[in-house]
């Protein structure tokens, strides 16, 4: 089959790999001019580890594995460690793998077969499913006809918008925003892998390999802003931390001001009654974002891409049955991931000074019990 995938993130690349190696001709269209490699380390958890193995990627993923979270601390205003980040409460097992998002993206892109090609700086502008195929018009003016179209274009998926309707019909805002910014070289050594809280906000510095990233998160009602206006997004973060100058907050805000690749998004989930319509299906955050607070978005993208490709194989040309089976097999993973965010939010963003102190006390007590 000739398959178009919108989005070259983890889900899009994994789907391209799985479908391309099964003999399909795959075109991936990515809105950006290059792979978007920003991001803190992400986790491959549970059955996604076995999925990575079946994809033939596990050895390389393990080789590039990080152990950053294992060295992460909550710190006080002086940068003194006060409690360890409780990995045992977050992950599934010791088999979980932490890897830099950038490294996983490169591993996936490097494994693509010749039958899968990525086209950058373009996107789907319109599509028509006539039952026998999908006619696509791209923003560049190009056109194409495909047997199937997969929306792997993330939380704010354009394919979902075109086929299933506006995002507000399916998005569930979790009351949290996240910003990521690269830290300049001179900031990289001291106080890394540390999380500092003020009520409803966290500031973190994470160092891995030769890079360091500032992470700023805050609780908020849904905000109305232009997703293509980076300066406006930076102002939102700066305003959210206005009045807070403790620990390294001013330095992290300066890093955010200076970073052209700054990343900003909400923690939002996508809840759709179905992930497929006709010849179009959704994979990854586009169909079932669990939000970064779940720590499972990448695992869902990997299992989703694999299951979809397996079912298309198993069902021959019958994409309708294949999509239905994909959904039946992937739903339990999604339900579990989407239900696991509240603990993460309360742990990372306690709402008051008292709640911050109570969390630290509970973590210290748990650590003492474990000794
Ligand atoms: C830059 C970036 C940084 C991230 N950092 C983190 C992090 O630090 N921690 C974390 O837990 N999760 C992070 N995520 C989210 C995480 O990657 C996903 O939850 C998970 O990997 C599932 O990936 P996905 O491929 O479904 O979506 P995404 O990773 O969001 O990938 C979607 C891709 O589609 C592209 N795209 C968007 N719109 C269009 C369009 N209209 N046409 C074509 N292409 C389009 C995007 O540019 C992107 O490359 C980040 C995502 C991005 C894009």
């Amino acid at each position: 089959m000739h398959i178009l995938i919108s989005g070259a993130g983890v889900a899009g690349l994994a789907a391209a790999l799985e479908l391309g190696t099964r003999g399909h001709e795959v075109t991936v269209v990515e809105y950006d001019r290059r792979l978007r490699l920003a991001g803190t380390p992400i986790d491959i958890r549970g059955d996604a580890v076995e999925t990575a193995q079946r994809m033939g990627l596990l050895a390389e993923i393990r080789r590039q594995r990080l152990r950053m979270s294992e060295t992460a601390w909550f710190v006080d205003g002086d940068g003194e460690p006060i409690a360890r980040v409780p990995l045992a409460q977050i992950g599934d097992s010791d088999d979980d793998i932490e890897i830099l998002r950038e490294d996983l993206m490169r591993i996936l892109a490097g494994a693509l077969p010749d039958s899968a090609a990525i086209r950058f700086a373009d996107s789907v502008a319109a599509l028509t499913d006539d039952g026998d195929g999908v006619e696509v018009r791209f923003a560049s003016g190009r056109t194409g006809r495909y047997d199937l179209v997969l929306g792997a274009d993330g939380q704010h998926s354009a394919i979902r918008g075109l086929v299933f309707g506006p995002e507000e019909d399916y998005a569930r805002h979790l009351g949290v925003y996240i910003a990521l910014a690269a830290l300049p070289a001179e900031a990289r050594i001291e106080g890394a892998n540390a999380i500092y809280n003020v009520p409803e906000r966290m500031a973190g510095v994470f160092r891995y390999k030769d890079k360091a990233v500032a992470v700023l998160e805050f609780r908020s009602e849904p905000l109305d802003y232009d997703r293509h206006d980076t300066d406006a997004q930076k102002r939102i973060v700066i305003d959210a931390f206005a009045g807070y100058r403790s620990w390294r907050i001013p330095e992290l805000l300066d890093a955010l001001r200076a970073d052209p690749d700054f990343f900003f998004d909400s923690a939002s989930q996508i809840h759709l009654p179905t992930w497929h319509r006709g010849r179009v299906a959704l994979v990854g955050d586009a169909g079932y974002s669990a939000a970064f607070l779940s720590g499972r978005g990448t695992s869902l993208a990997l299992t989703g891409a694999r299951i979809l490709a397996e079912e298309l194989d198993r069902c021959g040309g019958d994409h309708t049955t294949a999509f239905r089976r994909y959904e039946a097999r992937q739903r339990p993973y999604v339900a579990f991931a989407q239900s696991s965010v509240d603990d993460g939010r309360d742990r990372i963003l306690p709402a008051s000074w008292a709640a911050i102190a109570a969390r630290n006390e509970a973590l210290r007590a748990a650590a003492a019990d474990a000794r």
Side-chain angles (χ1 to χ4, degrees), residues 9-241:
V10 173
L13 294 176
L17 170 61
E18 286 292 295
L19 293 163
T21 48
R22 285 176 169 78
H24 299 288
E25 189 191 339
V26 181
T27 302
V28 184
V29 64
E30 164 61 45
Y31 178 83
D32 215 307
R33 299 189 167 279
R34 57 204 148 98
L35 289 180
R36 296 184 67 196
L37 299 175
T40 56
I42 44 81
D43 295 289
I44 301 173
R45 292 186 169 152
D47 288 357
V49 177
E50 194 188 323
T51 301
Q53 181 169 26
R54 292 194 181 170
M55 288 175 161
L57 304 177
L58 191 58
E60 187 55 26
I61 288 173
R62 283 222 166 102
R63 213 179 58 72
Q64 301 202 34
R65 173 183 200 166
L66 294 174
R67 293 185 183 274
M68 194 196 72
S69 298
E70 292 173 24
T71 61
W73 286 86
F74 293 110
V75 298
D76 65 16
D78 296 323
E80 291 299 321
I82 40 178
R84 264 205 183 283
V85 175
L87 276 191
Q89 291 172 28
I90 301 171
D92 288 359
S93 75
D94 290 345
D95 294 335
D96 291 356
I97 300 173
E98 185 176 31
I99 184 170
L100 198 49
R101 182 175 179 277
E102 171 179 342
D103 290 340
L104 179 61
M105 293 278 290
R106 286 193 210 280
I107 291 170
L108 287 164
L112 290 184
D114 291 345
S115 51
I118 308 177
R119 205 166 79 219
F120 291 100
D122 207 354
S123 59
V124 174
L127 52 77
T128 311
D129 179 350
D130 60 23
D132 295 325
V134 189
E135 286 290 335
V136 176
R137 185 167 52 76
F138 294 93
S140 60
R142 292 169 75 145
T143 55
R145 184 172 175 83
Y146 303 89
D147 296 305
L148 301 176
V149 173
L150 302 181
D153 40 5
Q155 188 176 318
H156 310 292
S157 168
I159 299 295
R160 187 185 62 230
L162 290 169
V163 176
F164 294 86
E167 183 165 327
E168 50 273 26
D169 291 355
Y170 308 106
R172 203 173 286 174
H173 179 63
L174 299 179
V176 175
Y177 284 85
I178 182 171
L180 307 175
L183 278 164
E186 64 273 14
R188 284 178 187 161
I189 306 300
E190 204 197 325
N193 301 347
I195 297 172
Y196 171 67
N197 285 104
V198 293
E200 303 197 322
R201 296 156 179 81
M202 75 79 109
V205 171
F206 296 96
R207 180 161 48 98
Y208 35 80
K209 297 190 173 172
D210 60 341
K211 295 190 177 142
V213 67
V215 181
L216 294 156
E217 296 180 20
F218 58 95
R219 296 193 188 224
S220 166
E221 294 300 308
L223 299 168
D224 193 17
Y225 63 93
D226 178 354
R227 266 199 287 281
H228 299 288
D229 185 345
T230 306
D231 288 340
Q233 294 168 32
K234 288 183 177 181
R235 272 196 305 277
I236 289 172
V237 184
I238 291 162
D239 287 349
F241 282 84

